[in-house]
Amino acid sequence: MDIPQSLRHSAGVALSVLCAGTLPAAATVQSPQKLKQLALEELLQTKVVSVSRTLEDWTTAPAAIGVLTAEEIHRSGAVRLGEALRLAPGLNVARYVGSSYAIGARGFNNASVNKMQVLLDGRCLYTPLFSGVFWEVQDTLLEDLDRIEIVRGPGATLWGADAVNGVINIVSKSARDTQGTLITGGGGSGERAFGSLRHGGQVGDSTYYRAYFKYLDRGDQKLSSGGSAHDGMTQSQGGFRLDSAPAGGNVLTLQGDLYTNAFGIAGRPEAKNEGGNLLGRWTHTFADASALQTQVYYDRGYRNVPLQFREDRETYDLDIQHHREIGDRQDLVIGANYRTSADETGTGGTFIFVPPNRTLNLLSGFVQDQITFEPQHLTLSLGSKFERNDFTGFEIQPSVRVAYLPDARQTLWAGISRAVRSPTRTDADSRFIPVPASNAVFLQGNPDFRSEVLVAYELGYRLRPHPRLLLDVATFYNAYDRLRTLEPSLPAGLPLVVKNERQGETYGAELNATFQPCPWWQLVANYSYLQKDLRFLPGSHDPTAGSLEANDPRHYGSVRSATTLPHGVEFDTVVRFATRLPNPVGPGYVAVDVRLAFHPVKNLEASLVAQNILDPGHPEFASGSVNQPEVPRSIYGQLTWRF
Amino acid sequence: MSGTRRSYPLPAVARQMFTAVLLALGGWLPAEARGEASKEYDLKAVLLYHFTQFVEWPAHSFPRPTAPLVIGVLGRDPFGQVLDDVVRQETYARRRIVVERYRRVDLIGNCQILFIDSSESRNFPRVLAVLRGRPVLTVGDFEDFAARGGMIRFLKNPDAKITLGINLAAAKAAGLNISPQLLRVADVMPEARK
C-alpha cells in the first residue's frame, strides 16, 4: 500500500495525539494519573508490580547486549525455554528434530552449536562433551524468570563467562519476588498438554522460598513427506529456591532442580534423560562496599539415546568473585573458578568415546578493570580471562572495550577481544561408527586438536532520540582461526579425523529498535545480518565442505507488537523470518505467532496462542535429507491462576 | 515530549486508513483504567511528588525566587517519562517542579530532592559527602538506605506494598522540615541513630 507522504505525516501526528491524550491503560494496573488522585495513605496500601529493569540498565554497556524481560517472556506465550529464546535480540533459533534447537548468534549455527555460553542462575548449561546445550532437557519455570540477557560477541571477560560468539544469561527471580501460589495449565496441538504449580512463602524475617513442579507433553512434528516425525517429548521437572538476607550484608541463595525427560526418535526406542542440580551462592558486602561472591554447584545429567550414545555426567563447580572500587575512577572485578566434570559414556552405540570414562578439570580466572574518565565521558574496560584446560593447557582471552557517552541519550562503544573455543571430548576422543557391528570408524576424534581462536572487532551505537524510542546497532568483524574440519586419513580416506584446517572472517550487524508509542503499546524490531568468508587451508580435503559446522541464514529477525487493551486484554503478534540456509539447503521462512489473553476474573489469566499461522509447517533447519521435520502450525490455550 | 497536541485536520480517508491500521495492530482508544495494582516505579514517582508537598525547604535552597524545584535522579533512571509526567503541572510554593538526571556523582546539580538509584549504592558515602550541608532530601530504595544516612527509604514488602522509612535526624541536619502528616504514615527511625 503506497501511502502518500502527507497522509503518513497526518497519521504520525494523529497517533501522537491519540496516544498522548489517553489514559495509559494496562487495565489491571493503575495509571500514574489515577495514582496521583490517591491520598498518601492509600498510596501506601496499593500493591506494586515490579517490571524488571530493562533498557536503561544496559544502554551504556560497551557490548552488544539485549534483554528479554519477564513481561516479554510472558507475552511470548512460550511454554519452555527454547521457545522463549526466539524473541531474544540477535539470536538465531532453529528447531529441528523434536525439541532440539540450534541456538546461536553471529553464525556457526548447526546441530551442536559450540560457540555459545549459556548460564542459568550462574550454572553452566552446556556439556563439555561438545560445548553445547541439550535444549530438549533444559527448562525452568518461565513465569519465575526475571530476565534473559543476551550478549553477542565475546562478552566473556565482561560477564565472567566463557564464550566465543555470545552469552545467554538466564536469571530467575529471587524467592522474595515469587511469593504466593501460581497454577498454570493448558493444552492444544503442538504443545499437547502442560501445567505447573509453584508456591512461595516466607520463613522468619528475612528468608523466602519457593518450590515448583512443571510438566510438559509436546506432540510430534510432521515430516515434509507428510508422515509423523515421531519426535514428541514429555518432561517432568521440579525444583526450589531459597533466598535469605540475614543482617550483616550477607545474601544467601540455595536452589536446585530435578527433571526426567523422554523424547522420541523415528524408528527407534525413545531417548531417556534425567538429571538434577544443587546450587548455593553467598554474597557478602563489606563495610567499604566491596563484595565477595562465592558459588558452588553440583550438576548431574544422564542422557541415553538408544543405539546412539549415552552420557552420565557429574559436575562440581566452585566460583569466587570479588568486586571492589579503587579510588574514584576504577571498578575492579576478579574471579577464579574450578570445575571438574566426570563422565561415563557407553559402549556399543554409534557415537562413542575413547576412553569411555573421563574426568575433565578446568581452572580459570579473570580480571576486569573498568576505568572512568569523566571529563571525556569515557569508560575503558580492560580485562582478560585465563584458563587451564586438560586438552590444550593454558589459554588467554583478553579484551579491551571502550564506551563514549557524549550525553544522556547516546552511547558509542567499541571493543577488541580474543576468545577461544577449547577442545571437547567430541573433538578429542570421539568415534562415530555408523554400523556398530562392523567396528568401522567413520569419524574419529583427535587428541591433538587445538582450540579454535577468534579475534573480534566490534563497534556499536545506541541512541535514544525520544524517551519512548531506543535505537541500537552493533557491528562486528570476526577473524577465526583453526576452525574445526574433518580430514580424510591415509590411505583409505576413512576415518575422517577432526582437525583445525579452516580459517576466515565473518562480519555483520545487528539492529534493534524499541518503540513505545503509547504506554499500552510496545513495538520491538530485531534484525541480524551475517556475511561469511571462510576458507579451508591448502592441505584440507574436508568432504563435508564445512556444512556440519555452520549453516546460517544471511538475514534473520523479528518484529513484535504487544498491546494492552481495555479490561486487561492483551493482544500480541510476532512476525519472525530467516532467509534460506546455504549448505545443506533449507528454505527461508516467515512465521507469524499471535497471542490473545484476558482476565475473566481477578487473578486468573486465560490466553490463546497460535504459532505459525501462515502455513501448515515449515522446516527451520536443514539436515541434508529431503524428508525433514517441520515446525507445525499449532494452537494452544493456557490458564494461569495466581493467589 | 509527549505532546504534539496541536489539533490537526485529518482528511477522512487518512482517518479511516489509520483506524484500520490501528485495529489491525490491535489497538483502539482505551477506556478508563480499572485498577488493582500499579507499576512499582509509577507509584514511587507519585510518592516523590507527594514529598514536594509534605516537606519544607529553607529559603536559601533556591538560587532565585523563580527557580524551579528540582527532583534529581542519580544513576540509572528507573522512572523514565513517568516522573516528568507526574510533576508536569504541579508546583511547590508557586515554583514549577522539574526533573533532572545526573549520571554520576560528579554531575549532581542544584536540586532539592535527590533520588539515588541502587546502581549508585556503592557510591553512597560519596554522595552524602557531596550533599553535606545542602538542603537536599535524599530518597532511595536500596538496602540500608536510611540506616546509612539516607532520609527517606522506599521499602517494598513481601505483600507488594511500599512503606516509607524516614531518617528524621538526617533530614533535620540538612535543614529540612518534614510535615507531621508524612511522618505519621511512615516508619520513623529513632533519632539516636545517625
Side-chain angles (χ1 to χ4, degrees):
Chain A
M1 181 160 61
D2 192 27
I3 313 178
Q5 173 70 21
S6 58
L7 250 46
R8 255 181 278 148
H9 183 57
S10 313
V13 173
L15 181 59
S16 66
V17 169
L18 285 170
C19 289
T22 57
L23 291 171
T28 52
V29 169
Q30 295 205 56
S31 69
Q33 271 64 32
K34 289 231 93 184
L35 286 176
K36 271 181 80 172
Q37 294 162 20
L38 299 179
L40 198 53
E41 290 88 340
E42 293 171 301
L43 283 174
L44 299 173
Q45 287 302 310
T46 307
K47 293 196 179 209
V48 294
V49 286
S50 287
V51 176
S52 58
R53 308 170 66 119
T54 60
L55 310 166
E56 199 58 52
D57 290 13
W58 288 275
T59 52
T60 60
I65 294 180
V67 179
L68 268 188
T69 63
E71 174 77 2
E72 289 168 325
I73 296 168
H74 179 69
R75 300 283 285 253
S76 73
V79 298
R80 61 179 289 113
L81 205 47
E83 292 292 327
L85 290 170
R86 284 184 185 285
L87 296 180
L91 277 190
N92 183 16
V93 175
R95 183 177 170 191
Y96 53 103
V97 164
S99 292
S100 308
Y101 294 82
I103 298 180
R106 300 193 171 170
F108 294 95
N109 229 24
N110 58 55
S112 54
V113 173
N114 59 18
K115 296 183 182 30
M116 299 289 293
Q117 165 68 295
V118 185
L119 298 165
L120 173 54
D121 287 336
R123 179 173 60 94
C124 176
L125 289 189
Y126 72 56
T127 165
L129 204 67
F130 66 94
S131 275
V133 179
F134 288 124
W135 285 107
E136 306 95 328
V137 303
Q138 296 301 345
D139 197 13
T140 185
L141 190 61
L142 296 182
E143 285 83 355
D144 284 349
L145 284 182
D146 183 62
R147 63 190 186 276
I148 299 179
E149 299 167 345
I150 299 96
V151 182
R152 285 108 49 199
T157 333
L158 204 69
W159 298 78
D162 178 12
V164 174
N165 274 15
V167 183
I168 300 173
N169 188 28
I170 305 162
V171 182
S172 71
K173 291 182 181 158
S174 156
R176 186 163 198 230
D177 294 329
T178 56
Q179 299 283 288
T181 309
L182 168 77
I183 301 179
T184 72
S189 73
E191 314 290 359
R192 272 207 300 237
F194 53 90
S196 64
L197 164 68
R198 179 260 287 150
H199 177 74
Q202 184 174 351
V203 175
D205 261 343
S206 54
T207 305
Y208 303 89
Y209 69 88
R210 69 163 173 263
Y212 77 91
F213 175 77
K214 175 174 178 173
Y215 174 76
L216 174 64
D217 177 343
R218 268 193 143 176
D220 303 330
Q221 299 184 93
K222 281 209 170 39
L223 296 172
S224 32
S225 63
S228 165
H230 294 296
D231 57 2
M233 182 198 88
T234 59
Q235 176 155 333
S236 303
Q237 177 166 337
F240 77 97
R241 178 166 167 160
L242 200 79
D243 290 291
S244 185
N250 294 303
V251 178
L252 294 152
T253 302
L254 187 66
Q255 60 188 99
D257 307 275
L258 279 174
Y259 69 85
T260 170
N261 165 301
F263 62 84
I265 312 174
R268 283 194 226 176
E270 56 178 15
K272 290 227 182 3
N273 317 282
E274 55 192 32
N277 67 81
L278 190 63
L279 181 149
R281 182 167 51 240
W282 170 43
T283 309
H284 181 80
T285 310
F286 297 92
D288 63 357
S290 66
L292 184 72
Q293 174 177 294
T294 311
Q295 175 178 285
V296 176
Y297 73 79
Y298 167 77
D299 192 313
R300 172 87 188 266
Y302 173 76
R303 183 181 177 98
N304 185 0
V305 183
L307 307 176
Q308 214 176 79
F309 93 108
R310 189 162 77 77
E311 180 201 30
D312 193 352
R313 175 171 300 283
E314 275 194 323
T315 303
Y316 294 85
D317 184 291
L318 170 65
D319 191 276
I320 302 179
Q321 290 187 24
H322 179 61
H323 186 166
R324 75 166 35 243
E325 294 201 335
I326 300 180
D328 271 352
R329 305 237 165 277
Q330 285 186 60
D331 199 305
L332 181 73
V333 189
I334 55 175
N337 175 286
Y338 174 65
R339 182 182 304 160
T340 177
S341 189
D343 61 58
E344 287 179 10
T345 63
T347 52
T350 57
F351 197 62
I352 60 169
F353 297 86
V354 175
N357 305 344
R358 187 164 179 181
T359 301
L360 294 173
N361 298 295
L362 182 68
L363 187 62
S364 62
F366 77 92
V367 60
Q368 184 196 270
D369 194 7
Q370 194 170 303
I371 308 164
T372 307
F373 300 92
E374 189 36 56
Q376 295 85 3
H377 307 300
L378 280 179
T379 305
L380 180 67
S381 298
L382 298 166
S384 184
K385 186 150 166 85
F386 313 91
E387 103 175 9
R388 196 225 152 265
N389 67 67
D390 281 349
F391 295 104
T392 59
F394 187 69
E395 301 272 15
I396 180 165
Q397 302 177 80
S399 169
V400 177
R401 289 176 183 269
V402 64
Y404 173 58
L405 283 58
D407 57 49
R409 297 176 318 143
Q410 306 177 71
T411 303
L412 182 67
W413 62 270
I416 305 177
S417 320
R418 178 182 193 265
V420 301
R421 204 274 296 170
S422 326
T424 61
R425 288 265 270 152
T426 299
D427 300 311
D429 302 335
S430 64
R431 307 275 185 277
F432 177 50
I433 305 171
V435 183
S438 73
N439 279 331
V441 179
F442 187 75
L443 228 139
Q444 181 162 315
N446 172 9
D448 296 327
F449 182 76
R450 303 167 71 196
S451 299
E452 300 180 326
V453 183
L454 164 67
V455 178
Y457 305 86
E458 300 177 83
L459 183 67
Y461 177 66
R462 281 183 208 99
L463 174 66
R464 191 190 281 277
H466 182 277
R468 294 208 172 110
L469 174 62
L470 180 67
L471 301 167
D472 186 344
V473 58
T475 64
F476 62 93
Y477 180 84
N478 287 350
Y480 291 94
D481 199 8
R482 300 197 223 126
L483 290 171
R484 181 169 65 192
T485 60
L486 301 171
E487 302 297 334
S489 48
L490 300 171
L494 291 183
L496 295 177
V497 177
V498 177
K499 292 231 173 117
N500 304 87
E501 305 280 308
R502 193 175 183 199
Q503 62 182 199
E505 295 80 43
T506 66
Y507 54 92
E510 291 129 6
L511 283 87
N512 173 285
T514 306
F515 181 40
Q516 190 154 7
C518 327
W520 45 268
W521 187 16
Q522 193 195 43
L523 288 162
V524 181
N526 291 311
Y527 168 68
S528 299
Y529 170 73
L530 174 71
Q531 179 84 317
K532 303 208 299 263
D533 179 15
L534 302 174
R535 312 170 281 284
F536 290 91
L537 295 182
S540 166
H541 297 92
D542 188 333
T544 68
S547 56
L548 293 179
E549 293 294 313
N551 199 9
D552 305 298
R554 177 155 305 167
H555 313 268
Y556 61 93
S558 65
V559 179
R560 70 174 182 275
S561 160
T563 57
T564 309
L565 308 171
H567 307 292
V569 175
E570 295 167 358
F571 181 71
D572 311 313
T573 60
V574 182
V575 179
R576 303 176 277 122
F577 70 92
T579 54
R580 65 177 193 84
L581 302 176
N583 183 7
V585 172
Y589 68 86
V590 178
V592 176
D593 305 332
V594 173
R595 173 178 176 270
L596 187 68
F598 65 104
H599 300 81
V601 297
K602 185 172 135 162
N603 293 331
L604 184 69
E605 178 191 89
S607 65
L608 198 64
V609 177
Q611 295 186 318
N612 298 318
I613 58 178
L614 290 185
D615 64 67
H618 62 265
E620 291 178 349
F621 198 71
S623 60
S625 76
V626 172
N627 210 5
Q628 299 244 82
E630 300 189 340
V631 180
R633 175 190 288 150
S634 74
I635 183 162
Y636 55 90
Q638 176 173 333
L639 286 175
T640 305
W641 187 24
R642 296 170 200 263
F643 56 95
Chain B
M1 197 199 85
S2 62
T4 1
R5 289 182 200 244
R6 323 192 288 274
S7 65
Y8 199 104
L10 274 184
V13 174
R15 221 178 290 130
Q16 280 164 29
M17 250 196 300
F18 185 62
T19 315
V21 166
L22 265 193
L23 280 178
L25 287 173
W28 60 81
L29 286 180
E32 214 178 21
R34 238 183 332 170
E36 276 175 11
S38 87
K39 286 198 185 153
E40 180 177 347
Y41 282 91
D42 288 0
L43 189 84
K44 288 177 178 176
V46 176
L47 284 170
L48 277 179
Y49 158 66
H50 276 275
F51 296 162
T52 69
Q53 309 298 305
F54 288 111
V55 173
E56 229 176 80
W57 279 264
H60 69 263
S61 317
F62 300 92
R64 300 177 308 277
T66 52
L69 185 146
V70 179
I71 301 180
V73 179
L74 176 68
R76 290 170 193 150
D77 179 6
F79 300 106
Q81 188 70 350
V82 174
L83 188 53
D84 302 75
D85 290 341
V86 162
V87 301
R88 174 153 293 123
Q89 309 284 27
E90 307 296 342
T91 58
Y92 165 81
R94 289 208 298 273
R95 299 171 188 274
R96 282 167 44 236
I97 304 177
V98 301
V99 181
E100 277 178 13
R101 280 141 181 104
Y102 313 121
R103 188 168 258 155
R104 269 186 261 281
V105 182
D106 322 51
L107 302 174
I108 296 177
N110 190 316
C111 57
Q112 282 69 48
I113 299 180
L114 184 67
F115 177 84
I116 301 153
D117 182 73
S118 56
S119 61
E120 293 295 315
S121 69
R122 263 177 277 119
N123 290 325
F124 193 40
R126 258 205 316 147
V127 175
L128 291 178
V130 165
L131 295 179
R132 188 157 302 135
R134 285 166 60 176
V136 180
L137 182 76
T138 52
V139 184
D141 54 10
F142 52 84
E143 205 68 44
D144 294 339
F145 181 77
R148 289 166 70 186
M151 291 170 202
I152 304 187
R153 181 190 170 189
F154 293 136
L155 173 66
K156 186 176 153 205
N157 297 319
D159 64 356
K161 295 179 189 169
I162 304 281
T163 48
L164 303 174
I166 297 187
N167 183 337
L168 195 52
K172 282 189 178 167
L176 298 169
N177 191 2
I178 301 186
S179 142
Q181 287 164 293
L182 180 54
L183 293 174
R184 207 173 17 155
V185 299
D187 290 331
V188 181
M189 270 176 54
E191 279 194 51
R193 296 245 222 125
K194 209 168 34 130

